[in-house]
């Protein structure tokens, strides 16, 4: 099956759309859940520090102290008595910071149509072998004269079928590019394909088109294969292959048109409800619950339909192994749909709270230190100022690098007087300077563009505001994701 699913996330098997979060991407395609996982955050309470008495410590300026009001969030934390300096934030204690999660592997890169990388996941080889074995058994009944060569024909069918899945995904990709939505990648995997679209469509009309083009292309392919069958003898290898590809593309289209997330039909239903109510969240909730009902229907109904002979054959042809296989397939499909629907709902709720992720409120207070400052002295200054970050500056107070929190952890306390901060710092690049005004998806996009553990946050005037830790953003991201939707 295929899917069109961040996006951030996204949908399932053969050509469905799902939402991904890579924070915030939208995965257009099949599969259990699409949370971009290179952007997958780690749960933990976010924390900030109370304002330092010295404005220079807050902004990282090397010049004379200047007072400035604390943010509302800082004021609330101060009132509640919550305060953690470098010494109390796990650094002096020697507690290592939580490691950042790794992004999902893409698999084998096959090409870059339209500039979008196409990967084949390792699980695809498993399903290719399964298709080769199953279709080979069918060929043995239809064309027994092929002998062992039937498995070569079956392998060709498996590759041709997934080429059709790729066309389905490319339809989503082209539509996304047309609507100026970034596509992270296309991945062919066990239960179809996934087009990882990193942002949502801006209007319900575009959402509907983006979802519908996948099944539409599958229907077009089915029609092309049907027309190609006309001049071909049915009891030949080309005739059997064309018939199989026609039927498989019809199944892909029909399955993905089912009206439940994370399938393409669910995205279409979401667009319709969104248009009627004017609320994208209402559309997501409706389509997600229909998707969950669909998952239960697949779990119960698919084995019953097969036993009734609805898919061909009679009850006398069904063995115990067939029954187990049907139940296993139904369980896998139901799990994919249920998980995808829930993930789509969570990602939609997350987007509602994304504006709450603001660089200004997540930034750690920082103090400026010069290259040759001993680590122990730098930590003393930071703790005295109530700061949790160190910025290495030159003699004029211009920032040069950021002292890495993980590097501080690795220095034993007895050696800190003899270690200069310059040896623990990471040189600043343009991508590591972020505006204090960034918030929501724009903030996450900026951080994704230049992966790092810490970023220098600056005012529009260029003044140092503080240091933003990627771990703090991840914690805030998870808290927003876990919060109930409004």
């Amino acid at each position: 099956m295929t899917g069109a699913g961040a996006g951030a996330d996204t949908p399932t098997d053969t050509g469905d759309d799902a939402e991904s979060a890579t924070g915030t991407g939208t995965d257009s395609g099949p599969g259990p859940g699409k949370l971009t996982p290179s952007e997958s955050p780690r749960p933990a309470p976010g924390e900030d520090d109370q304002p330092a008495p010295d404005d220079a410590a807050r902004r990282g300026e090397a010049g004379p102290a200047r007072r400035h009001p604390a943010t509302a969030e800082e004021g609330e934390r101060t009132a509640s008595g919550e305060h953690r300096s470098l010494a109390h934030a796990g650094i002096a204690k020697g507690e290592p910071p939580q490691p950042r999660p790794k992004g999902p592997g893409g698999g084998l890169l096959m090409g870059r149509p339209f500039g979008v990388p196409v990967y084949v996941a390792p699980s695809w080889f498993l399903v290719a072998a399964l298709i080769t074995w199953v279709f080979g058994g069918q060929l043995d009944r239809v064309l027994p004269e092929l002998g062992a060569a039937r498995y070569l024909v079956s392998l060709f069918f498996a590759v041709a079928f997934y080429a059709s899945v790729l066309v389905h995904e490319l339809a989503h990709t082209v539509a996304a590019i047309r609507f100026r939505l970034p596509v992270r990648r296309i991945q062919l995997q066990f239960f179809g394909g996934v087009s990882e679209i990193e942002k949502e469509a801006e209007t319900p009309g575009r959402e509907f088109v983006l979802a519908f083009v996948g099944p539409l292309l599958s229907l077009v392919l089915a029609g092309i294969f049907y027309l190609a069958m006309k001049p071909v003898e049915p009891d030949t290898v080309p005739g059997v292959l064309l018939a199989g590809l026609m039927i498989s593309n019809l199944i892909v289209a029909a399955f993905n048109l089912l009206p439940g997330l994370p399938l393409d039909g669910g995205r279409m239903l979401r667009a319709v409800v969104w248009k009627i109510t004017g609320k994208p969240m209402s559309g997501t909730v409706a389509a997600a619950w229909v998707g969950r009902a669909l998952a239960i229907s697949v779990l119960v109904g698919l084995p019953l339909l097969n036993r009734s002979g609805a898919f061909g054959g009679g009850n006398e042809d069904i063995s115990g192994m067939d029954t187990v296989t049907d139940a296993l397939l139904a369980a896998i499909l139901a799990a994919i749909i249920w998980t995808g629907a829930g993930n789509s709902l969570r990602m939609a709720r997350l987007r509602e709270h994304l504006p709450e992720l603001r660089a200004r409120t997540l930034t750690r207070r920082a103090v400026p230190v010069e290259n040759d400052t001993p680590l122990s002295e730098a930590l003393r200054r930071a703790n005295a100022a109530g700061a949790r970050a160190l910025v290495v500056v030159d003699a004029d107070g211009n920032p040069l690098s950021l002292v890495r929190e993980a590097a501080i952890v690795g220095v034993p306390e007895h050696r800190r007087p003899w270690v200069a901060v310059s040896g623990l710092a990471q040189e600043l690049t343009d991508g590591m300077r972020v505006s204090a005004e960034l918030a929501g998806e724009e903030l996450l996009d900026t951080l994704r563009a230049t992966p790092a553990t810490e970023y220098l946050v600056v005012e529009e005037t260029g003044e140092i505001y503080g240091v933003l830790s990627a771990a703090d953003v991840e914690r805030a991201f998870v808290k927003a994701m876990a919060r109930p939707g409004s």
Side-chain angles (χ1 to χ4, degrees), residues 65-240:
R66 279 179 281 174
R67 308 282 297 187
H68 75 283
T71 64
E73 183 175 337
E74 288 173 340
E76 291 171 5
R77 278 192 290 268
T78 304
S80 65
E82 180 180 349
H83 170 84
R84 300 188 72 182
S85 65
L86 276 173
H88 298 92
I91 290 184
K93 293 181 180 179
E95 299 172 359
Q98 293 178 328
R100 297 193 69 188
K102 295 181 180 179
L108 181 64
L109 178 64
M110 301 301 293
R112 293 179 178 272
F114 306 104
V116 177
V118 176
Y119 293 95
V120 173
S123 60
W124 177 85
F125 295 95
L126 177 61
V127 76
L130 181 61
I131 292 175
T132 300
W133 176 61
V134 173
F135 194 67
Q138 295 175 346
L139 281 177
D140 191 36
R141 293 192 294 270
V142 179
L143 300 171
E145 65 274 12
L146 286 178
R150 68 182 183 274
Y151 291 109
L152 289 176
V153 177
S154 299
L155 179 60
F156 178 83
F157 170 78
V159 173
F161 168 67
Y162 267 83
S164 300
V165 172
L166 177 58
V167 171
H168 177 113
E169 297 305 325
L170 286 174
H172 291 298
T173 296
V174 171
I177 293 173
R178 174 68 178 80
F179 295 144
R180 301 182 184 276
L181 301 175
V183 182
R184 183 183 177 202
R185 68 178 179 178
I186 296 173
Q187 186 182 54
L188 301 180
Q189 49 189 224
F190 188 89
F191 267 99
V194 178
S195 300
E196 296 186 8
I197 302 172
E198 295 188 347
K199 291 186 178 180
E200 280 198 332
E202 297 177 354
T203 66
R206 289 186 175 187
E207 171 82 351
F208 189 93
V209 171
L210 185 60
F212 180 61
V213 290
L216 177 62
L217 256 292
S218 294
L219 289 173
V220 170
L221 285 176
I224 291 173
F225 290 128
Y226 173 76
L227 294 176
M229 286 170 50
K230 290 297 186 179
V232 177
E233 291 291 331
D235 294 332
T236 62
V237 170
V240 172

Side-chain angles (χ1 to χ4, degrees), residues 13-392:
D13 324 316
T14 45
D16 51 54
D17 291 318
E19 302 178 332
S20 145
T22 165
T24 61
T26 296
D27 290 336
S28 164
K34 305 306 187 260
L35 174 62
T36 87
S38 55
E39 294 108 314
S40 175
R42 197 159 291 341
E47 57 191 8
D48 238 358
D49 301 314
Q50 65 183 20
D54 189 342
D55 182 54
R58 177 64 178 109
R59 294 179 175 272
E61 299 169 2
R66 279 179 281 174
R67 308 282 297 187
H68 75 283
T71 64
E73 183 175 337
E74 288 173 340
E76 291 171 5
R77 278 192 290 268
T78 304
S80 65
E82 180 180 349
H83 170 84
R84 300 188 72 182
S85 65
L86 276 173
H88 298 92
I91 290 184
K93 293 181 180 179
E95 299 172 359
Q98 293 178 328
R100 297 193 69 188
K102 295 181 180 179
L108 181 64
L109 178 64
M110 301 301 293
R112 293 179 178 272
F114 306 104
V116 177
V118 176
Y119 293 95
V120 173
S123 60
W124 177 85
F125 295 95
L126 177 61
V127 76
L130 181 61
I131 292 175
T132 300
W133 176 61
V134 173
F135 194 67
Q138 295 175 346
L139 281 177
D140 191 36
R141 293 192 294 270
V142 179
L143 300 171
E145 65 274 12
L146 286 178
R150 68 182 183 274
Y151 291 109
L152 289 176
V153 177
S154 299
L155 179 60
F156 178 83
F157 170 78
V159 173
F161 168 67
Y162 267 83
S164 300
V165 172
L166 177 58
V167 171
H168 177 113
E169 297 305 325
L170 286 174
H172 291 298
T173 296
V174 171
I177 293 173
R178 174 68 178 80
F179 295 144
R180 301 182 184 276
L181 301 175
V183 182
R184 183 183 177 202
R185 68 178 179 178
I186 296 173
Q187 186 182 54
L188 301 180
Q189 49 189 224
F190 188 89
F191 267 99
V194 178
S195 300
E196 296 186 8
I197 302 172
E198 295 188 347
K199 291 186 178 180
E200 280 198 332
E202 297 177 354
T203 66
R206 289 186 175 187
E207 171 82 351
F208 189 93
V209 171
L210 185 60
F212 180 61
V213 290
L216 177 62
L217 256 292
S218 294
L219 289 173
V220 170
L221 285 176
I224 291 173
F225 290 128
Y226 173 76
L227 294 176
M229 286 170 50
K230 290 297 186 179
V232 177
E233 291 291 331
D235 294 332
T236 62
V237 170
V240 172
L241 284 176
L242 290 170
L245 290 171
M246 179 197 70
I247 293 172
S248 61
N249 275 279
L250 283 175
I251 293 174
V252 166
F255 184 78
N256 279 280
L257 285 173
L258 293 175
L261 284 173
L263 301 172
D264 292 335
R267 301 287 297 271
M268 294 161 64
L269 174 61
R270 175 182 183 270
V272 171
V273 177
W274 177 4
K275 179 67 175 179
I276 294 173
T277 64
K279 298 178 180 179
M281 187 64 187
S282 297
T284 301
V285 171
W289 280 105
V290 172
R292 287 170 170 172
L294 180 62
I296 296 174
S297 299
V298 168
L299 180 63
V300 177
L302 187 60
L304 294 178
L305 286 173
N306 205 32
R307 287 182 62 83
S308 69
F311 297 138
N315 293 333
E316 65 279 0
D317 299 325
I318 299 176
S319 65
M321 181 59 68
D322 291 332
T323 300
V324 173
T325 302
D326 293 341
L328 180 61
L329 177 61
I332 293 174
L333 287 177
I336 288 174
I337 296 172
W338 182 279
T339 305
N343 190 62
S344 298
L345 188 58
R346 284 190 295 273
M347 292 310 300
R349 286 174 174 166
L350 169 64
R351 288 190 184 93
E352 283 196 321
H353 297 290
L354 267 184
E356 299 172 16
L357 297 180
R358 299 188 298 275
R360 188 174 294 279
T361 56
L362 293 173
T363 295
R364 296 180 177 186
R365 191 180 308 282
V367 295
V369 293
E370 295 190 351
N371 269 310
D372 56 355
T373 305
L375 177 59
S376 59
E377 171 60 16
L379 292 178
R380 185 195 66 77
R381 295 181 193 175
N383 292 333
R388 290 181 54 206
L390 302 171
V391 179
V392 178

